[in-house]
Amino acid sequence: MHNKKIIIIGGGVIGLGIGWQLAKAGAAVTIHESGQAGRGASWAAGGMLGPIAEAHIDELDLLKLSNESLARYPEWVDELETETDMPIGYRAEGTLIIGIQPDDTYQLRHAYTLYQDLGLKVEWLSGDEARKIEGALSPYVTAAIRCETDHQVDNRLMVQALQHAYQKRGGVLHQNSSVDRIVIQNGTATGVQTQDGFHSADVCILAAGCWSGQINGLPDNIIPPVRPVKGQMLALQMREGVMLSNVIRTVKARYPMPVYLVPRGDGRLVVGATTEELGFDTDLIVGGIYELLHGAFEAVPGIYELPLLETWTGLRPGSSDNAPILGKTPIENLIYATGHYRNGILLTPITAYEVSKLVLTGETSETIAPFHLDRFSKE
Ligand code: FAD
Ligand code: GLY
């Protein structure tokens, strides 16, 4: 039994995931969530668990962390589903990264060589081989990379299950409770200030997604460098002839922009996403939706006949090097778990397991050490 009193700021996948693990260990945890839990980026996401498709040559620490988190996913899903009896739509069919025009194939080859150099498990397919796996792909698809291990989860189901699991373990959730200030006295975080007054804590965890840099009370030099990166998304209803089972991602050398199509178990096909540096703007724009539909239509022409179910936007919490900010800060008892950018759903298990361990033991594991805030001051 741990008798630490912990406050988490933010009730997205990250705050709820850490909160659940801590509550499970017997800690007294309270989450303050400014709106409704799980309705930020965690609701907007595509749910892809794609370390390979999202890999970049200059982000090798992030690739390692992503692979470790992916490896923990089966255990995570089992633990969460057993605890809640709520399925979270984990699917292991894999991902096809496809090229349509000749220049795309050149770009795909380049990516394939990189993946091989990095020792990632990938397979090169011709267009016909790709269509044998997904019959609805366009006849113009020239080639594909199969990433068998890039899976997916239904992030909306996951965040609902996490909220249930957290509360079932005794975690307290205050919704519509915005943290205005982190209170710091003599270099130590002592609690938070909300509209209801001061709430004391032994440990405060900042997990407020793209809003993490906006909370008062932090000295300038430790404000987390996290910004909102807008993504427009839409969902279609799959029908016979267009029943995908793999995640499809396009590579585009030129026009239109690259898109992904994520088929859910319930027949929804999630299509995303724009990447826009527009601050906290969340407007849906005709041009964004047009680009998504154009890209999706080039990959899978049969979508032309599908009903459009929903459109939405979300704000990714992007850090200045695209990797999350995890662990201790120069302020005693203040821990960061933010900046998960494009991969926060993928990185939820590793973040929840490692940050909760840090809170309970005081020890930073080697896994999260490269992701400390202090890496920015070393630059
Ligand atoms: P959020 O879910 O945004 O939660 C933060 C919470 O903090 C919010 O609920 C907010 O209301 C609350 N909050 C803010 N300020 C305060 C305050 N002052 N007091 C109290 N509470 C506060 N990741 C993947 O792994 N795979 C994907 O396919 C994928 N696709 C994406 C597609 C889009 C369009 C977007 C937008 C994101 C995508 N992501 C994906 C990224 C992923 O969604 C995020 O990295 C992840 O959800 C971040 O979780 P979070 O809990 O940190 O943030
Ligand atoms: N990881 C997909 C996205 O951020 O759009």
Side-chain angles (χ1 to χ4, degrees):
M1 191 70 174
H2 296 268
N3 53 11
K4 278 184 180 162
K5 197 171 156 198
I6 296 146
I7 284 181
I8 300 176
I9 306 164
V13 277
I14 300 301
L16 287 168
I18 298 168
W20 172 43
Q21 289 300 311
L22 288 170
K24 228 174 146 180
V29 195
T30 300
I31 294 179
H32 289 276
E33 161 55 51
S34 57
Q36 193 183 340
R39 296 296 173 130
S42 304
W43 194 257
M48 294 176 295
L49 310 176
I52 300 180
E54 301 261 356
H56 283 275
I57 187 67
D58 49 357
E59 295 174 0
L60 297 183
D61 280 343
L62 176 59
L63 176 63
K64 185 163 177 274
L65 189 75
S66 299
N67 274 328
E68 283 186 50
S69 200
L70 184 69
R72 309 282 306 253
Y73 241 96
E75 166 196 359
W76 172 262
V77 174
D78 186 50
E79 194 183 341
L80 188 53
E81 290 187 345
T82 304
E83 181 121 341
T84 59
D85 215 12
M86 294 166 73
I88 62 167
Y90 177 70
R91 296 187 70 171
E93 280 93 340
T95 295
L96 295 174
I97 310 175
I98 60 164
I100 298 167
Q101 286 133 10
D103 282 1
D104 302 345
T105 310
Y106 180 81
Q107 198 168 317
L108 260 191
R109 269 282 169 210
H110 184 74
Y112 183 67
T113 307
L114 168 69
Y115 297 154
Q116 283 189 311
D117 289 350
L118 293 173
L120 302 170
K121 193 171 173 230
V122 284
E123 188 189 350
W124 183 262
L125 303 177
S126 67
D128 284 340
E129 285 167 331
R131 276 181 293 276
K132 277 199 187 108
I133 297 169
E134 288 293 359
L137 285 178
S138 161
Y140 295 110
V141 169
T142 50
I145 299 172
R146 185 177 200 182
C147 313
E148 252 184 282
T149 52
D150 272 11
H151 297 162
Q152 65 142 309
V153 71
D154 188 327
N155 43 290
R156 293 185 180 181
L157 296 180
M158 182 161 102
V159 84
Q160 290 173 84
L162 276 175
Q163 181 179 337
H164 184 67
Y166 168 69
Q167 291 180 299
K168 189 174 162 195
R169 287 286 179 170
V172 176
L173 174 63
H174 294 303
Q175 304 192 78
N176 303 312
S177 175
S178 183
V179 170
D180 173 49
R181 172 174 295 275
I182 296 172
V183 179
I184 297 169
Q185 287 168 330
N186 303 323
T188 300
T190 57
V192 301
Q193 187 78 36
T194 70
Q195 68 267 31
D196 298 324
F198 175 70
H199 309 266
S200 70
D202 299 310
V203 179
C204 295
I205 303 173
L206 179 56
C210 69
W211 298 271
S212 295
Q214 302 243 309
I215 297 165
N216 296 315
L218 298 174
D220 284 351
N221 62 332
I222 70 150
I223 294 175
V226 179
R227 70 188 192 286
V229 183
K230 176 175 156 184
Q232 301 185 51
M233 300 275 281
L234 59 92
L236 309 173
Q237 179 65 55
M238 288 190 287
R239 283 185 175 158
E240 213 186 318
V242 200
M243 293 299 293
L244 301 174
S245 52
N246 287 250
V247 172
I248 309 292
R249 303 180 70 129
T250 65
V251 158
K252 295 308 289 181
R254 293 196 186 87
Y255 177 81
M257 67 176 199
V259 297
Y260 49 78
L261 296 88
V262 189
R264 301 281 197 233
D266 63 1
R268 281 163 66 91
L269 182 63
V270 174
V271 180
T274 62
T275 302
E276 301 169 74
E277 298 279 357
L278 286 174
F280 287 93
D281 171 72
T282 52
D283 285 348
L284 269 164
I285 297 296
V286 172
I289 298 303
Y290 169 78
E291 289 278 331
L292 293 177
L293 287 171
H294 187 170
F297 174 74
E298 277 208 342
V300 180
I303 66 147
Y304 198 83
E305 302 287 341
L306 302 183
L308 175 61
L309 296 178
E310 190 188 341
T311 51
W312 67 93
T313 55
L315 297 174
R316 303 173 183 89
S319 75
S320 35
D321 63 2
N322 300 334
I325 304 169
L326 304 173
K328 290 182 181 174
T329 66
I331 301 295
E332 196 67 28
N333 298 337
L334 177 62
I335 287 175
Y336 284 173
T338 186
H340 291 74
Y341 191 35
R342 306 185 74 91
N343 291 303
I345 307 300
L346 167 61
L347 295 172
T348 298
I350 202 81
T351 303
Y353 290 135
E354 297 296 331
V355 172
S356 59
K357 207 160 68 187
L358 165 64
V359 173
L360 296 171
T361 64
E363 301 295 327
T364 298
S365 69
E366 279 181 23
T367 306
I368 60 167
F371 300 96
H372 264 185
L373 177 73
D374 67 5
R375 71 184 188 271
F376 298 109
S377 45
K378 287 177 195 154
E379 277 170 1

PDB file of all heavy atoms in Angstrom, residues 9 76 231 376:
ATOM      1  N   ILE A   9      -2.781  16.233 -13.608  1.00  0.00           N
ATOM      2  CA  ILE A   9      -3.453  17.310 -14.349  1.00  0.00           C
ATOM      3  C   ILE A   9      -3.692  16.815 -15.767  1.00  0.00           C
ATOM      4  O   ILE A   9      -2.744  16.619 -16.532  1.00  0.00           O
ATOM      5  CB  ILE A   9      -2.584  18.588 -14.368  1.00  0.00           C
ATOM      6  CG1 ILE A   9      -2.198  18.972 -12.941  1.00  0.00           C
ATOM      7  CG2 ILE A   9      -3.317  19.732 -15.074  1.00  0.00           C
ATOM      8  CD1 ILE A   9      -1.047  19.958 -12.862  1.00  0.00           C
ATOM      9  N   TRP A  76      -0.991  -5.078 -21.924  1.00  0.00           N
ATOM     10  CA  TRP A  76      -1.802  -3.911 -21.558  1.00  0.00           C
ATOM     11  C   TRP A  76      -3.287  -4.153 -21.879  1.00  0.00           C
ATOM     12  O   TRP A  76      -4.170  -3.912 -21.064  1.00  0.00           O
ATOM     13  CB  TRP A  76      -1.262  -2.704 -22.330  1.00  0.00           C
ATOM     14  CG  TRP A  76      -2.053  -1.438 -22.267  1.00  0.00           C
ATOM     15  CD1 TRP A  76      -2.948  -0.972 -23.197  1.00  0.00           C
ATOM     16  CD2 TRP A  76      -2.002  -0.442 -21.232  1.00  0.00           C
ATOM     17  NE1 TRP A  76      -3.437   0.244 -22.806  1.00  0.00           N
ATOM     18  CE2 TRP A  76      -2.876   0.598 -21.610  1.00  0.00           C
ATOM     19  CE3 TRP A  76      -1.296  -0.323 -20.041  1.00  0.00           C
ATOM     20  CZ2 TRP A  76      -3.073   1.734 -20.831  1.00  0.00           C
ATOM     21  CZ3 TRP A  76      -1.493   0.814 -19.268  1.00  0.00           C
ATOM     22  CH2 TRP A  76      -2.370   1.813 -19.653  1.00  0.00           C
ATOM     23  N   GLY A 231      -4.993  18.301 -36.424  1.00  0.00           N
ATOM     24  CA  GLY A 231      -5.250  17.227 -37.380  1.00  0.00           C
ATOM     25  C   GLY A 231      -6.736  17.146 -37.670  1.00  0.00           C
ATOM     26  O   GLY A 231      -7.544  17.061 -36.756  1.00  0.00           O
ATOM     27  N   PHE A 376      16.410  19.404 -23.364  1.00  0.00           N
ATOM     28  CA  PHE A 376      16.288  20.645 -24.143  1.00  0.00           C
ATOM     29  C   PHE A 376      17.322  21.680 -23.694  1.00  0.00           C
ATOM     30  O   PHE A 376      17.797  22.461 -24.492  1.00  0.00           O
ATOM     31  CB  PHE A 376      14.863  21.207 -24.029  1.00  0.00           C
ATOM     32  CG  PHE A 376      13.835  20.262 -24.590  1.00  0.00           C
ATOM     33  CD1 PHE A 376      12.948  19.585 -23.759  1.00  0.00           C
ATOM     34  CD2 PHE A 376      13.773  20.032 -25.965  1.00  0.00           C
ATOM     35  CE1 PHE A 376      12.016  18.701 -24.289  1.00  0.00           C
ATOM     36  CE2 PHE A 376      12.837  19.148 -26.503  1.00  0.00           C
ATOM     37  CZ  PHE A 376      11.956  18.477 -25.663  1.00  0.00           C
TER      38      PHE A 376
END
